[in-house]
Amino acid sequence: MATLKEIADRTGVSIATVSRVLNYDETLSVSEEKRKRILEVADELDYMPPGRKAQGAAKGRGKGRPRIGLIHFLSVSEELDDPYYISIRIGIERRSQELGFELVKIYKADGRFHTEELRNVQGIIAIGKFNSEEIDAFSANCSDVVMVDSSQRPHRFDSVVVDVAASMRELLNFALAQGFTRIGFYGCEERYAEHRTYLGEKRYTAFVEYMKDKGLYDSRYVK
């Protein structure tokens, strides 16, 4: 089993830095490149926190512990380029450890998800955006599914999502309070497989409505 020292030796940083990165300490001053490298090496070496190792030794894998499937719509390498999704995954892992859950993590590999690993799980947390076939495959193994960062099939599955329109209004309130009036918007449209999400459009719509309401909208500043 990998140790903090092994990860530190591979990445050329101190053991303390490795520990703080793996615990997602946002106060740590370290470059994103170095942070990503530490997380990448930890995954390569299959590092497991000491508390989780002790718990596993005491109870035994799969004996009396609730098993939760954690499905990530990104591959391992793609996640390393996305600190937002890393933070979501680490938060779930940390809370699962505190509650004594056994977490079965599944990333996209070779263009697919190996859903056979979801057998006998008591719940599934699905992070990201998935197409209909993928969602059907997940729910075939367990009907209790929670979607994170998307709200697909809202009448069937619970979800945890950000209210991007409210966030945009809060941001603009702050900008105006600082004295800014010529505010631009540079947005995008996300696409994933068959599913098209509208986060970009929601932010854009909220921006336009807010700025027009304040009499400050100028199309020259929108892209």
Side-chain angles (χ1 to χ4, degrees):
M1 190 66 67
T3 65
L4 292 177
K5 185 178 185 306
E6 289 178 87
I7 299 171
D9 289 343
R10 287 271 295 272
T11 56
V13 299
S14 68
I15 294 175
T17 296
V18 171
S19 177
R20 292 175 68 183
V21 168
L22 295 181
N23 282 293
Y24 213 73
D25 184 349
E26 296 181 358
T27 66
L28 175 64
S29 179
V30 62
S31 70
E32 280 304 312
E33 182 179 357
K34 183 63 70 175
R35 188 186 298 271
K36 283 163 53 180
R37 178 59 182 156
I38 291 169
L39 292 167
E40 184 177 26
V41 170
D43 274 340
E44 288 176 359
L45 298 178
D46 196 25
Y47 173 76
M48 184 180 294
R52 189 170 167 189
K53 287 189 283 188
Q55 186 182 61
K59 296 184 178 181
R61 180 176 176 84
K63 294 182 178 179
R65 300 172 59 195
R67 300 182 76 238
I68 305 297
L70 176 61
I71 307 172
H72 208 308
F73 84 121
L74 299 175
S75 67
V76 173
S77 60
E78 287 172 333
E79 189 205 43
L80 290 170
D81 289 325
D82 199 320
Y84 171 71
Y85 282 111
I86 288 176
S87 67
I88 291 175
R89 190 255 301 164
I90 289 178
I92 294 171
E93 288 181 339
R94 185 180 299 164
R95 186 58 176 157
S96 297
Q97 181 181 332
E98 292 171 356
L99 296 173
F101 293 163
E102 178 186 352
L103 208 56
V104 181
K105 290 189 294 183
I106 297 177
Y107 289 86
K108 194 161 197 175
D110 303 321
R112 60 181 290 264
F113 298 96
H114 297 277
T115 56
E116 61 273 9
E117 298 179 38
L118 295 174
R119 294 193 186 100
N120 301 318
V121 298
Q122 291 160 280
I124 292 174
I125 302 173
I127 303 174
K129 293 92 178 176
F130 304 91
N131 62 40
S132 296
E133 289 75 15
E134 291 166 346
I135 296 173
D136 288 340
F138 304 157
S139 58
N141 287 274
C142 179
S143 60
D144 294 318
V145 179
V146 174
M147 311 293 295
V148 178
D149 205 43
S150 68
S151 183
Q152 297 164 251
R153 303 189 187 179
H155 298 295
R156 183 175 178 188
F157 303 124
D158 289 331
S159 62
V160 181
V161 295
V162 176
D163 186 338
V164 294
S167 298
M168 175 59 74
R169 291 191 294 271
E170 185 174 344
L171 173 62
L172 291 170
N173 279 332
F174 175 80
L176 290 184
Q178 305 308 305
F180 296 102
T181 56
R182 289 183 299 179
I183 305 171
F185 178 91
Y186 192 85
C188 65
E189 174 187 288
E190 284 187 282
R191 294 180 183 273
Y192 178 71
E194 71 176 40
H195 182 67
R196 173 178 170 180
T197 61
Y198 294 92
L199 295 182
E201 289 89 332
K202 286 181 181 178
R203 294 188 180 102
Y204 167 74
T205 300
F207 173 86
V208 172
E209 290 178 349
Y210 182 100
M211 296 298 282
K212 284 185 175 180
D213 183 61
K214 300 293 184 181
L216 298 172
Y217 178 75
D218 190 327
S219 60
R220 295 176 299 170
Y221 304 143
V222 176
K223 177 67 173 177

